[in-house]
Amino acid sequence: MANTADNDEGAQTHDGRSPTKRLVTNVPRLDFITKGGLIQGSSYAIIGPPGSGKTVFANQIAFEHVRTGGKALYVTLLTESHGRMLENLSQMTFFDPSVIPEKLQYLSAYRDLEKEGLKGLLELVRKNAQQHGATLLIIDGMDVAKEFAHSDLSFKRFLQDLQTFCNILGCTTLLLAPHHEGEIHPENTAVDGIFELSLWLHGPRAVRELIAIKFRGGPSLLGRHEVEISDRGMVIHPRTEVQFAHPASAGREDRIRMPFGIPRLDDAMRGGLLSGSTTLLLGAPGTGKTLLGLRFLLEGARAGQPGVYFGFYETPPRLIEKALGTGMKDFKKYVDEGLIEIQWQPPLEHNMDSLAERLLERIEERKVDRLRLFIDGVSGFRSAAVYPDRLVRFFSALTHQLRMMDVTTLYSDETPLFSPGVDMPQPEAASTVENVILVRYVELRSQLYRLLSIMKMRESAYDSSIREFSISKDGIIVADTFESAESILTGHARMTSSPAPAHEDARSGLKNPLGSKSRSTKKQPAKKPAPASASRRRRT
């Protein structure tokens, strides 16, 4: 029995009709886009330029269909030979030569079309589909068939006769034809659905996309969805903001604090970040964002809370080495035990929605509570975006989905290394996160110091004072307020008067090269000028 499904199985539609039967394609996420699969007995046009993946797409549907009990007939018209086609498909994981020809039959029909025209082609398809008991019919090369039609009207009549026969047989039909931008195909009005594949260049990068232009009989996800072709065949990545267009309105209520394990930082946040919240960690390169993120995961692991590192630029061995070199001696132990999972994405060309799917699916697979997540590098998603104007909606959807999964998320993003102000790479992102922490350098007397400040915390009180912090082999140490410099947030610290000698800050234990602010700003009484006669005596 073929893999078919009913919408709301066992129920009826609102008007009392039986639910529509579906042909489940099992092509990754195609059935999600079509809300359950193709409608059984309907006809669909698959169009696109050469190289966009039409043949792989149709064959993948055919192999998946026969694997679940159906029978398919694949008819070719002046396309590549069957031997060459099967040789190319043999590299795909869905390819199974054992189903040919008993369940999946290939038929070349060009000679019959050349001799007897569309009428002969229709008769040949009818005869073989009935004999084979086909529940799926694919005709590859509809542009060739159209050349034998006397007019658009006669070609539409041919399609109507083909659809009538397939409806009686209960056979779903896929019609493949090349398509170039700007072309109009009158016959597309006669089919029940149209899937357009595209292939275009975004700079040096080749981009494949799928659009469900038309889908009669049911809803579908409109718009462009990026596609990749690999050894798995065709994999479709629906836009993240569309996949999660109707998220849950409320998350987990019993929220707890998630500390970093850095005393003065946790004190400033009244115990740590709230569980289920999202925090943006901003800073220039080298300011310590990655180390703060690793420290956040480590503190969770010590409390029995699982964590995930999702990054692009640091390999797992380098991350572990960095943690060990900054006082996090037990980080590797938790990685080996699986409590902290490192998901490293090699710095290659990525698909933004594919990255989000990979992350969310892995979190679902783990089925754990109170997960901590550190996404090291928003720029990794940004570089994968084909349409930059999607970024705000993308992160809003991803963030909300993580929040509903009770994941406490920490993003890191880079600000310019040398800038007179705080420039957010994506200002709109601040509205989608609950918390913002800024780390940056300040230059003073030819030395660089690291500063940390909490810029925003929703749903919680916090201390917004600017704090100096240092990184050493013993770990991260956050000091009390960095009091003696002006204009810290502009990156131009300067003394309010001549500095006093450096001394040990009794509150923080760190050297404060600026001295005490109260002492440096205290005014000294002006000296009275010496009498003129005294001046003359000294000169004499």
Side-chain angles (χ1 to χ4, degrees):
M1 184 67 181
N3 189 1
T4 58
D6 296 339
N7 287 341
D8 300 322
E9 188 173 357
Q12 287 188 329
T13 59
H14 66 279
D15 56 1
R17 295 178 301 170
S18 298
T20 305
K21 290 187 177 297
R22 297 288 187 128
L23 185 149
V24 179
T25 66
N26 290 315
V27 174
R29 299 180 183 84
L30 176 62
D31 299 320
F32 176 79
I33 289 175
T34 58
K35 304 293 185 181
L38 306 179
I39 296 177
Q40 193 172 341
S42 297
S43 59
Y44 298 91
I46 300 176
I47 60 177
S52 57
K54 299 184 297 296
T55 301
V56 172
F57 189 37
N59 274 281
Q60 188 172 354
I61 294 174
F63 276 96
E64 292 291 345
H65 182 65
V66 301
R67 184 177 62 82
T68 55
K71 287 195 171 183
L73 176 65
Y74 196 111
V75 180
T76 60
L77 300 173
L78 206 61
T79 58
E80 61 182 333
S81 67
H82 295 166
R84 177 62 63 85
M85 180 191 296
L86 296 178
E87 181 181 353
N88 294 334
L89 294 172
S90 64
Q91 307 301 317
M92 307 289 183
T93 56
F94 63 77
F95 181 77
D96 181 8
S98 66
V99 301
I100 305 171
E102 287 77 12
K103 295 182 179 179
L104 173 55
Q105 186 178 105
Y106 288 88
L107 176 67
S108 178
Y110 178 72
R111 289 188 178 181
D112 293 81
L113 175 64
E114 190 177 32
K115 289 180 181 179
E116 303 179 29
L118 293 178
K119 183 177 179 181
L121 173 62
L122 183 61
E123 188 59 34
L124 179 68
V125 170
R126 281 176 176 172
K127 177 182 175 181
N128 283 272
Q130 284 180 327
Q131 289 179 352
H132 188 60
T135 50
L136 175 66
L137 169 66
I138 301 170
I139 302 180
D140 190 350
M142 291 300 295
D143 57 317
V144 178
K146 188 177 179 181
E147 294 295 326
F148 287 84
H150 300 297
S151 63
D152 290 342
L153 182 61
S154 64
F155 189 61
K156 287 183 180 180
R157 188 177 297 118
F158 161 75
L159 293 175
Q160 186 178 31
D161 292 340
L162 179 64
Q163 287 176 311
T164 301
F165 163 73
C166 289
N167 284 335
I168 295 173
L169 195 62
C171 182
T172 306
T173 309
L174 305 180
L175 307 174
L176 280 60
H179 171 77
H180 298 279
E181 188 176 356
E183 289 183 347
I184 298 176
H185 297 265
E187 64 275 12
N188 287 345
T189 59
V191 295
D192 299 301
I194 303 173
F195 295 104
E196 180 180 352
L197 296 170
S198 61
L199 176 63
W200 56 283
L201 293 178
H202 176 66
R205 173 181 171 184
V207 179
R208 286 188 170 94
E209 293 178 320
L210 177 141
I211 311 173
I213 296 177
K214 174 182 177 182
F215 195 81
R216 288 176 183 164
S220 64
L221 292 183
L222 301 176
R224 298 179 181 271
H225 308 288
E226 202 160 339
V227 169
E228 62 177 336
I229 298 177
S230 65
D231 59 347
R232 297 173 57 195
M234 180 170 286
V235 180
I236 304 168
H237 303 292
R239 300 191 315 281
T240 301
E241 58 270 32
V242 176
Q243 289 193 56
F244 306 110
H246 305 288
S249 58
R252 189 167 175 172
E253 295 296 332
D254 55 329
R255 304 174 71 184
I256 62 174
R257 292 285 179 174
M258 297 284 202
F260 281 78
I262 303 173
R264 287 183 178 83
L265 177 58
D266 292 333
D267 292 342
M269 295 188 294
R270 304 301 186 260
L273 304 173
L274 280 171
S275 61
S277 65
T278 305
T279 303
L280 182 60
L281 184 58
L282 280 173
T287 49
K289 300 184 298 298
T290 299
L291 289 177
L292 284 169
L294 296 181
R295 190 68 181 80
F296 181 68
L297 297 180
L298 177 60
E299 185 64 16
R302 288 172 175 171
Q305 297 164 353
V308 174
Y309 172 91
F310 191 88
F312 301 89
Y313 308 110
E314 300 271 10
T315 62
R318 290 291 298 274
L319 280 172
I320 294 173
E321 180 183 350
K322 179 177 287 189
L324 294 177
T326 51
M328 293 180 264
K329 304 299 183 183
D330 49 350
F331 188 86
K332 185 177 186 302
K333 180 188 76 170
Y334 292 113
V335 172
D336 294 339
E337 292 175 357
L339 200 56
I340 295 178
E341 179 179 330
I342 298 177
Q343 295 186 28
W344 175 60
Q345 326 303 315
L348 306 173
E349 288 186 354
H350 294 292
N351 174 280
M352 188 168 66
D353 300 300
S354 173
L355 292 171
E357 290 164 6
R358 192 180 313 163
L359 173 62
L360 294 172
E361 288 173 359
R362 181 59 187 138
I363 292 174
E364 286 283 1
E365 289 172 2
R366 294 189 68 176
K367 298 185 184 301
V368 295
D369 292 329
R370 305 300 191 190
L371 181 76
R372 296 187 181 209
L373 169 65
F374 175 40
I375 298 178
D376 192 9
V378 170
S379 58
F381 286 96
R382 191 178 295 117
S383 63
V386 175
Y387 303 99
D389 59 344
R390 280 189 53 206
L391 282 168
V392 174
R393 298 188 300 274
F394 169 84
F395 277 110
S396 178
L398 177 60
T399 296
H400 193 76
Q401 187 65 17
L402 290 168
R403 191 179 294 126
M404 293 303 102
M405 298 166 74
D406 194 37
V407 176
T408 307
T409 307
L410 185 65
Y411 290 101
S412 72
D413 203 1
E414 289 193 349
T415 58
L417 183 59
F418 300 106
S419 173
V422 181
D423 299 323
M424 289 189 63
Q426 191 176 325
E428 301 87 352
S431 62
T432 66
V433 300
E434 288 91 345
N435 317 310
V436 178
I437 299 175
L438 174 66
V439 289
R440 63 175 303 157
Y441 290 117
V442 60
E443 181 185 354
L444 186 65
R445 295 155 74 184
S446 302
Q447 291 188 26
L448 289 177
Y449 299 89
R450 290 183 174 93
L451 302 181
L452 180 148
S453 57
I454 302 170
M455 310 296 291
K456 165 186 171 183
M457 276 193 77
R458 290 180 187 162
E459 307 170 334
S460 174
Y462 66 97
D463 184 354
S464 61
S465 300
I466 302 169
R467 286 170 165 76
E468 182 186 1
F469 75 100
S470 64
I471 300 171
S472 70
K473 63 180 181 179
D474 298 321
I476 301 173
I477 301 175
V478 176
D480 284 339
T481 305
F482 194 87
E483 295 176 335
S484 302
E486 293 180 350
S487 306
I488 294 298
L489 293 182
T490 64
H492 297 289
R494 63 179 182 273
M495 300 302 301
T496 55
S497 67
S498 299
H503 69 285
E504 293 287 336
D505 190 327
R507 290 172 298 177
S508 66
L510 296 178
K511 284 188 176 181
N512 184 350
L514 301 179
S516 170
K517 180 178 179 180
S518 59
R519 183 167 55 197
S520 63
T521 56
K522 185 176 180 180
K523 294 184 178 179
Q524 302 294 332
K527 292 184 178 180
K528 294 181 180 180
S533 59
S535 297
R536 286 195 295 271
R537 284 197 297 270
R538 281 198 297 270
R539 286 199 297 273
T540 303

